[in-house]
Amino acid sequence: MMSHMKDEHAFAKVAYFYHRKDADVFFQYLQDFRRRLLALQPSEVLNLNLNYQDLLCQHLKALHPTLDPSHLPDMRDYLRVELEPSQFDAEYPEQLAEKGYGAFPYFLWKEYGIAQLYYLFLFAWRDYGPQSLDRWIALGQTLLDSVYAYDWPPSVFQAAEPCPICLQTMVWTRTTVCGHVFHVHCLTKHVLRHSNTCPLCRCPRPMADDDDD
């Protein structure tokens, strides 16, 4: 359920634990910040060669010059080949992945990106007071773009399909030399533990290009 997502938990936690005299103003800013973050869409043109983490550090330095850049959410931690939607604790990520068309990257942005931005916003407010929301949204836009600019497989932005081996929705895929598509880890496990043939058509050496490395 949406009400159990990290975004909402982080928002509520940050709002609840701010007890200074300007709490009403802070909460209003935080609400506006959240509304604008949730309305963001990835830029139409994404620079795939841009070092987004460096750009995020530049944004953060302008907003909070003394804050350690390690506080920035590094979305690369969540964009790993081993991390399939079915491996999250909740069912919601897999439900999104089943929708395809970029729903899973948006989940990662919302749950692991936006949630951390609330805490950065709190740290900066405590030390510097109100700041321009436009500058914070620029930080948020860069973080969102960093997710979508990742080297995702085409399957993420197409209609979702189940893996023929495990029957779960595929994000990280591998196409065999015979043209069949599987989870990377499912196909690798099959080749290493069972048979070096395609699980569907028995074509030999389905990952032949790996043999040539």
Side-chain angles (χ1 to χ4, degrees):
M1 296 294 292
M2 287 292 292
S3 60
H4 297 295
M5 295 293 101
K6 287 183 173 60
D7 159 57
E8 294 190 3
H9 277 290
F11 177 84
K13 186 175 181 179
V14 168
Y16 179 79
F17 285 104
Y18 188 82
H19 297 303
R20 296 187 178 181
K21 293 180 179 180
D22 61 347
D24 290 343
V25 178
F26 171 77
F27 182 64
Q28 184 61 56
Y29 266 71
L30 186 64
Q31 281 185 310
D32 291 345
F33 185 38
R34 182 178 192 228
R35 174 181 54 79
R36 293 181 62 179
L37 285 175
L38 292 175
L40 288 178
Q41 297 294 323
S43 298
E44 291 187 9
V45 178
L46 296 172
N47 187 340
L48 303 183
N49 297 317
L50 182 66
N51 188 325
Y52 282 94
Q53 207 64 22
D54 284 350
L55 185 55
L56 288 168
C57 288
Q58 294 175 24
H59 282 305
L60 181 62
K61 188 173 181 61
L63 292 164
H64 197 306
T66 61
L67 192 63
D68 190 324
S70 65
H71 286 84
L72 277 169
D74 188 345
M75 300 308 294
R76 292 172 296 187
D77 291 343
Y78 307 103
L79 305 178
R80 296 181 292 111
V81 172
E82 308 88 48
L83 195 62
E84 285 285 342
S86 59
Q87 293 176 283
F88 284 85
D89 292 335
E91 296 180 1
Y92 187 62
E94 189 160 11
Q95 293 172 0
L96 283 180
E98 289 171 355
K99 295 181 179 180
Y101 302 109
F104 185 60
Y106 184 81
F107 161 79
L108 293 175
W109 142 251
K110 184 172 182 289
E111 294 307 289
Y112 298 97
I114 290 182
Q116 290 302 312
L117 289 177
Y118 297 148
Y119 294 110
L120 293 178
F121 186 81
L122 171 63
F123 299 153
W125 186 287
R126 282 177 170 173
D127 292 341
Y128 298 101
Q131 294 172 311
S132 167
L133 281 183
D134 289 341
R135 298 177 72 178
W136 279 98
I137 293 302
L139 173 63
Q141 184 69 61
T142 302
L143 185 60
L144 173 60
D145 287 349
S146 75
V147 175
Y148 279 80
Y150 190 76
D151 188 20
W152 290 103
S155 59
V156 173
F157 299 102
Q158 299 171 357
E161 296 183 2
C163 173
I165 297 176
C166 70
L167 303 181
Q168 294 178 328
T169 303
M170 293 186 292
V171 169
W172 299 105
T173 63
R174 177 64 185 269
T175 302
T176 64
V177 295
C178 47
H180 296 120
V181 183
F182 304 90
H183 273 136
V184 173
H185 63 270
C186 285
L187 181 60
T188 302
K189 180 179 178 180
H190 170 83
V191 168
L192 294 177
R193 298 187 181 181
H194 301 288
S195 171
N196 193 10
T197 60
C198 172
L200 290 181
C201 70
R202 303 306 176 189
C203 173
R205 299 175 63 223
M207 304 170 70
D209 53 335
D210 284 354
D211 299 337
D212 299 332
D213 291 343

